[in-house]
Amino acid sequence: MKKVLLLLSFLSLELFALSLDDLITQALEKNPSLASIEHRITANQSAQDISKQFANPVLSFSADTLDKTQKMHKQTLTLQQKLPYYGKRDTLLGISKADKGILDTTLFDAQVKLVNEIKNQAYNIWELQELVKIIQEYENITRQNIDLSESYTSTSKNQHMGIMSAELSLTEFKIQRSVLNSKIFTAYQRLSYLTAIEVNKITLTLSMQKKMPSIESLKTGLSKNPELLLKDKEILKNKAMIKNAEINNYPDLNVIGAYSRRPNYNDYFTLGFGLSLPMYGTEDMKEEEQRTLILVTKSLKNDISLKIDADFMSIYRQMESEYEIYHLIHDDALPQVAHMFKLTSSSISTGGDLFKYIYLLEQKLKLEQKSISAIANYNRENAKISALRGELQ
């Protein structure tokens, strides 16, 4: 029954269009690159368990070369166990936990980048499909004008030239549509790869916001940028490594126990202790190395912070540009073109010059194409800001 439900769920994804939120949810659950990081996080739990364990004991056997009839002849079984200095296992556990923090944030960073890429592909598909729709609309309008003008071909040679020009425009529309359809197919393949499911249709409606959001409102949340958070986790690991380097200056204790068997004399036990002596300053140098590395990580974090601010301002300026382009087209250019169409429509219906009408159609098409691109680009830039803020939706 469970397999049947899974099959029906899969078929429903194949047959029906998915929303952008559905695609993001599917990708976060099934993307193989994310799964690989999740497996590494699972493996880290084993590393934490290992860090709490003692080192394996060493069992050895030895026998001397004296003749077996000699009283001093013996065979010795030795057991040696290393006991780490108090707190050393805790510092190793701290390093493992810091590694987990890095892996968790690496997963988060990968998720944010994946969501941003999915949004980009979805917006790309929306833009391409809208361009196809508008080209099809202009194809229909051009065919209607050709049919209308053909009834006047006997009255003017210029009218015949206008029809030929319109037919050339139709060919150009078909070429554009073919190129766009090919790009749509490629975009769907890319989207299928990102989401790890076959995607053939997506439901998405994009529009231009009525008002540009303020810089201040968009800047909130930049402190949650995944790259910044990752550097914070790396700093925590550097600190854990420093603690480990500090405590390694204290020697570990080796406990040795041995049993010696002498066939011709008394057997005996031996108990011993051993210490590793940090005489050469190696541990101090390792500690200094880790203190230097933490400065490196902090410097990299500051650099990333500056880059995020610069990227944010560049993205915001691009959003403003797309917002301005959209309103220039809809508030200024298209009303003027609409007025010009009113002046030429009556002329075409009575056999007027088709050249002017085709020219106006082409101008209006270019404006509407730029309007569609402005909406898509605006949303792409907005998605970039969402990624900078570490958002998964």
Side-chain angles (χ1 to χ4, degrees):
M1 184 63 183
K2 187 176 180 181
K3 291 183 178 179
V4 173
L5 291 175
L6 288 173
L7 179 60
L8 291 174
S9 175
F10 179 77
L11 289 175
S12 66
L13 295 177
E14 294 289 318
L15 297 175
F16 300 102
L18 293 170
S19 67
L20 181 57
D21 289 341
D22 291 334
L23 290 175
I24 290 172
T25 301
Q26 289 290 327
L28 293 178
E29 291 178 356
K30 296 186 176 182
N31 186 275
S33 62
L34 298 183
S36 66
I37 301 175
E38 290 169 350
H39 292 322
R40 289 167 60 191
I41 292 173
T42 302
N44 176 265
Q45 185 57 54
S46 297
Q48 292 187 41
D49 294 338
I50 291 171
S51 66
K52 295 183 287 186
Q53 301 298 319
F54 288 97
N56 289 328
V58 177
L59 181 65
S60 59
F61 173 80
S62 62
D64 60 38
T65 58
L66 294 174
D67 189 275
K68 293 181 179 181
T69 59
Q70 296 291 324
K71 291 184 178 181
M72 297 300 295
H73 171 73
K74 66 180 184 297
Q75 297 173 330
T76 304
L77 187 66
T78 304
L79 180 66
Q80 182 175 337
Q81 175 66 57
K82 180 180 178 181
L83 300 177
Y85 184 82
Y86 176 77
K88 278 192 177 182
R89 287 186 298 161
D90 291 336
T91 60
L92 291 176
L93 179 60
I95 293 172
S96 296
K97 288 182 176 180
D99 281 331
K100 184 179 184 300
I102 290 174
L103 288 172
D104 287 337
T105 311
T106 301
L107 175 61
F108 175 56
D109 183 38
Q111 289 173 331
V112 170
K113 287 183 170 67
L114 177 63
V115 169
N116 183 53
E117 180 64 19
I118 289 172
K119 287 181 179 179
N120 272 290
Q121 288 302 320
Y123 299 159
N124 189 32
I125 290 171
W126 176 88
E127 178 183 7
L128 294 170
Q129 289 178 336
E130 290 299 311
L131 291 175
V132 168
K133 288 178 185 178
I134 198 171
I135 286 175
Q136 289 175 332
E137 179 184 338
Y138 277 79
E139 281 187 60
N140 294 332
I141 294 173
T142 304
R143 286 194 185 95
Q144 292 172 8
N145 288 317
I146 290 173
D147 293 339
L148 183 61
S149 298
E150 281 179 343
S151 61
Y152 298 99
T153 54
S154 60
T155 62
S156 171
K157 289 185 177 180
N158 288 337
Q159 193 68 23
H160 182 69
M161 292 294 293
I163 292 172
M164 293 179 64
S165 176
E167 289 175 343
L168 288 175
S169 294
L170 273 179
T171 302
E172 178 62 26
F173 291 153
K174 291 176 182 177
I175 292 171
Q176 290 183 33
R177 189 154 48 85
S178 177
V179 172
L180 290 171
N181 284 329
S182 175
K183 290 181 178 179
I184 289 171
F185 177 81
T186 301
Y188 268 119
Q189 292 303 304
R190 176 66 179 170
L191 194 58
S192 298
Y193 161 72
L194 293 170
T195 57
I197 58 173
E198 187 67 28
V199 183
N200 298 311
K201 191 175 181 182
I202 178 174
T203 57
L204 179 64
T205 302
L206 296 182
S207 60
M208 183 62 71
Q209 288 181 308
K210 293 182 179 180
K211 185 180 179 181
M212 269 291 296
S214 65
I215 291 178
E216 291 74 20
S217 64
L218 290 178
K219 261 195 168 183
T220 57
L222 288 182
S223 59
K224 296 180 181 178
N225 180 272
E227 292 186 29
L228 281 179
L229 296 179
L230 183 59
K231 289 304 170 187
D232 287 335
K233 298 300 182 181
E234 289 177 0
I235 289 172
L236 289 177
K237 182 178 179 179
N238 290 144
K239 291 179 178 179
M241 295 288 286
I242 289 172
K243 286 184 178 180
N244 185 62
E246 288 175 343
I247 205 169
N248 278 338
N249 276 298
Y250 297 93
D252 298 324
L253 176 67
N254 286 295
V255 178
I256 305 169
Y259 173 74
S260 296
R261 178 178 177 276
R262 294 191 294 184
N264 301 311
Y265 209 61
N266 297 331
D267 298 344
Y268 64 92
F269 287 96
T270 303
L271 182 63
F273 302 94
L275 292 174
S276 56
L277 301 178
M279 296 175 55
Y280 303 110
T282 303
E283 289 73 16
D284 291 333
M285 287 185 281
K286 287 182 178 180
E287 183 181 340
E288 186 61 30
E289 178 188 16
Q290 294 303 321
R291 294 189 185 279
T292 304
L293 288 176
I294 199 172
L295 296 177
V296 172
T297 307
K298 288 181 177 179
S299 296
L300 290 174
K301 180 186 175 181
N302 291 335
D303 181 68
I304 289 172
S305 181
L306 292 173
K307 183 178 181 298
I308 289 171
D309 289 338
D311 288 346
F312 172 82
M313 293 306 301
S314 297
I315 294 168
Y316 187 82
R317 181 64 191 92
Q318 188 61 41
M319 283 180 66
E320 285 184 323
S321 175
E322 300 299 340
Y323 182 85
E324 183 180 359
I325 289 170
Y326 176 85
H327 283 285
L328 284 172
I329 292 171
H330 284 267
D331 298 342
D332 298 332
L334 286 180
Q336 293 179 25
V337 173
H339 179 67
M340 295 171 71
F341 267 113
K342 288 181 181 179
L343 297 176
T344 57
S345 293
S346 58
S347 174
I348 292 296
S349 64
T350 57
D353 190 356
L354 186 58
F355 274 115
K356 293 180 181 179
Y357 194 82
I358 293 299
Y359 174 76
L360 284 177
L361 276 179
E362 290 176 349
Q363 294 303 307
K364 186 181 180 185
L365 174 60
K366 289 178 181 178
L367 288 171
E368 292 187 343
Q369 287 173 330
K370 289 178 181 178
S371 172
I372 291 169
S373 295
I375 294 172
N377 290 334
Y378 179 90
N379 282 277
R380 288 190 190 99
E381 299 305 317
N382 198 22
K384 289 179 184 177
I385 289 180
S386 294
L388 287 178
R389 288 153 54 101
E391 296 175 353
L392 294 176
Q393 291 293 335

